[in-house]
Amino acid sequence: MIPVRGYAGKRVAVLGLGRSGLATARALAAGGAEPLLWDDSPEARAKAEAAGFALTDLTRNTAFEDVACLVTSPGIPHLYPAPNRIIRRALECGVPVDNDIGLFFQSWGGPEWDDFDQAPKVVCVTGSNGKSTTTALIHHILRAAGRPTQMAGNIGRGVLDIEPPQDGEVLVLELSSYQTELARALTPDVAVFTNLSPDHLDRHNGLGGYFAAKRRLFSEGGPDRAVIGVDETEGMFLAGQLAQGPGDDRVIRISSGTKLEGFAWSVFARKGFLAEWRRGRQMASVDLRGIDGLPGAHNHQNACAAWAACRALGLSPKLIEGALHSFAGLPHRSQLVGERGGVRFVNDSKATNVDSAAKALAAFPRVRWIAGGMGKDGGIAALAPVLDSVVKAYLIGHSARDFALQLGETPHEICETMERAVARAAAEAQPGEVVLLAPAAASFDQYPDFEKRGEDFTRLVQALPGR
């Protein structure tokens, strides 16, 4: 646990009693604060009470008298489309609003570090797609190098729930836009921006607000090194804002598909090969095509981001290359879950938007595509340029019929359920093809989250006869 500093003897309200909320309450108490806990959900309140926490009704008009701060869970709206009523009341009372990420950076480091030979560091990863894989890959490389490391944030443990750092440790955090938008302190040593595509637009009042939330990771405290994906205009703009010019090696530009020349430091992948260039010289070249845990151009971008971050931490190219080959990938992200009669079954349930689904489809030449769920604005019309690889689509969930109308001449079948989609795709698939779950939609019509959707797909694949 990381005890929260700065609130000893003060009352701090905590709104939202999920994993991060309860961890925040414990960390506040460990730092000498008095946490006042509340959740709008009766079930969450009951679970907190069962865990031994006392509740304070923050909906009362006098709830924020003598309160030093309100700490809110990331999923609770604080601005758009409208602030939660409790957050609005805190704002009306002039009470600062923060989240666990802000408390963490406020509390990271202390007198005990004076005895360390090497101060611990923090690497933060944000972006639209690839955050989790990039975070896990950096963590994996550090472990392979023998460096003490922990992984937390939007993946793994809550950020205040980690163990106190060791001498020379590297903490790797995945941060969503919900987390970066509100945190009052953001001071990573290395910050990574993977890419940007439309997502969570209602929460951020449009693409500009979404990008602004991501950008705060780089503008609030200023990392020592910034790794920036420049395959979209927003990434190029961000790199340009951070660097003093092309010769500024504090910014490492990365790309999947574009050779980056003329910069002090760049890492890019083309035709399956990763290359690192620094001050006009090629420092490394790695063939990514045979790495099973990193299939497709989108994963090659993740490899570039992780490579750049680890090089910024001082790791050698040879060590990083070896670790890439031992990376098994993450569940629900281009995860190979079975093979049957020369047909591979790949679970990419995390592909909840059009951009991530497009990258998954582009990773394989012949695809039996399982898609559908709670479709997002625009449906799958934007996927038209990558549908050439789709042999047939098997559509499930609430958006199945809407998706069917947007598939044009691509063969498709409305299956409605995952069970029927897996059975039909497996029955029709030919050797050399891939049955790919890449829904391009949220899961909430049939599953509580994308993990449960991916687990159901995996269970059905593993139950197929003849595996």
Side-chain angles (χ1 to χ4, degrees):
M1 180 189 303
I2 305 296
V4 173
R5 304 176 191 271
Y7 291 105
K10 298 180 180 180
R11 304 168 77 228
V12 178
V14 178
L15 176 62
L17 302 180
R19 182 191 66 171
S20 67
L22 294 180
T24 297
R26 287 190 288 266
L28 283 163
E34 179 188 354
L36 312 176
L37 277 60
W38 186 254
D39 195 296
D40 288 333
S41 164
E43 293 78 12
R45 296 198 297 268
K47 186 179 293 186
E49 285 187 306
F53 291 98
L55 300 176
T56 300
D57 187 355
L58 296 179
T59 64
R60 293 182 294 107
N61 287 335
T62 59
F64 286 99
E65 291 180 2
D66 196 30
V67 169
C69 181
L70 169 64
V71 183
T72 181
S73 294
I76 301 174
H78 58 267
L79 186 57
Y80 300 115
N84 174 278
R85 58 176 178 159
I86 293 172
I87 296 177
R88 184 178 184 88
R89 180 59 182 158
L91 296 172
E92 290 171 346
C93 294
V95 174
V97 180
D98 206 345
N99 60 18
D100 62 333
I101 303 301
L103 295 185
F104 164 78
F105 278 110
Q106 176 180 319
S107 308
W108 179 247
E112 67 274 14
W113 287 21
D114 293 342
D115 297 327
F116 288 166
D117 291 329
Q118 186 177 358
K121 294 183 180 294
V122 181
V123 177
C124 291
V125 181
T126 195
S128 295
N129 299 306
K131 296 188 299 297
S132 296
T133 297
T134 299
T135 301
L137 183 53
I138 294 170
H139 179 62
H140 171 79
I141 294 168
L142 289 165
R143 290 181 64 187
R147 291 282 293 272
T149 179
Q150 296 183 71
M151 179 172 65
N154 208 39
I155 185 174
R157 305 170 74 173
V159 69
L160 291 171
D161 201 32
I162 65 170
E163 299 299 323
Q166 304 176 39
D167 190 342
E169 184 165 1
V170 180
L171 175 62
V172 191
L173 301 181
E174 177 193 341
L175 299 183
S176 71
S177 58
Y178 291 8
Q179 293 168 311
T180 58
E181 184 178 46
L182 189 59
R184 291 171 65 89
L186 286 167
T187 53
D189 297 281
V190 178
V192 179
F193 176 85
T194 58
N195 50 57
L196 195 82
S197 61
D199 208 359
H200 308 305
L201 300 188
D202 58 337
R203 173 67 180 262
H204 299 295
N205 201 33
L207 186 60
Y210 178 49
F211 175 53
K214 301 286 189 185
R215 182 183 176 277
R216 290 190 76 247
L217 180 62
F218 303 85
S219 61
E220 288 301 301
D224 294 335
R225 279 257 160 67
V227 176
I228 309 294
V230 295
D231 289 333
E232 294 89 30
T233 302
E234 290 86 356
M236 286 190 286
F237 176 79
L238 180 58
Q241 281 202 313
L242 296 173
Q244 293 298 317
D248 187 349
D249 69 358
R250 294 174 303 172
V251 175
I252 309 174
R253 291 167 171 83
I254 65 166
S255 173
S256 176
T258 300
K259 184 176 182 179
L260 300 175
E261 296 182 296
F263 298 106
W265 203 344
S266 64
V267 181
F268 55 88
R270 296 182 71 206
K271 299 180 179 179
F273 286 85
L274 178 150
E276 177 190 355
W277 283 76
R278 192 164 188 183
R279 301 200 177 281
R281 294 180 55 225
Q282 183 168 324
M283 308 298 290
S285 178
V286 179
D287 187 351
L288 301 174
R289 295 173 298 176
I291 301 178
D292 292 337
L294 296 167
H298 61 304
N299 275 310
H300 294 173
Q301 184 190 53
N302 299 334
C304 289
W307 181 286
C310 290
R311 290 287 283 141
L313 292 169
L315 275 63
S316 71
K318 184 176 181 180
L319 192 155
I320 298 171
E321 180 179 359
L324 292 179
H325 284 274
S326 61
F327 182 65
L330 286 179
H332 317 299
R333 297 161 178 86
S334 296
Q335 177 193 17
L336 180 65
V337 297
E339 189 165 348
R340 174 177 175 268
V343 176
R344 289 180 292 163
F345 293 80
V346 175
N347 166 23
D348 204 331
S349 182
K350 185 64 168 63
T352 58
N353 58 40
V354 165
D355 187 66
S356 54
K359 291 173 179 175
L361 289 169
F364 306 103
R366 291 181 59 78
V367 176
R368 301 274 174 176
W369 178 33
I370 299 176
M374 288 294 292
K376 299 185 177 181
D377 289 347
I380 57 171
L383 289 175
V386 297
L387 293 181
D388 288 347
S389 64
V390 176
V391 179
K392 184 176 177 180
Y394 304 83
L395 305 174
I396 64 173
H398 179 269
S399 61
R401 285 166 177 76
D402 290 336
F403 280 17
L405 294 173
Q406 296 178 304
L407 282 173
E409 297 182 1
T410 300
H412 60 271
E413 179 178 337
I414 294 177
C415 296
E416 295 188 346
T417 66
M418 183 74 75
E419 182 175 15
R420 177 169 174 77
V422 170
R424 292 290 298 143
E428 296 182 348
Q430 300 298 310
E433 295 179 346
V434 170
V435 175
L436 171 67
L437 171 64
S443 61
F444 305 125
D445 57 334
Q446 295 178 318
Y447 301 94
D449 49 46
F450 74 84
E451 289 97 338
K452 289 293 187 290
R453 177 170 60 189
E455 289 167 6
D456 192 29
F457 173 78
T458 301
R459 176 187 63 82
L460 292 165
V461 169
Q462 294 176 347
L464 288 170
R467 286 189 66 250

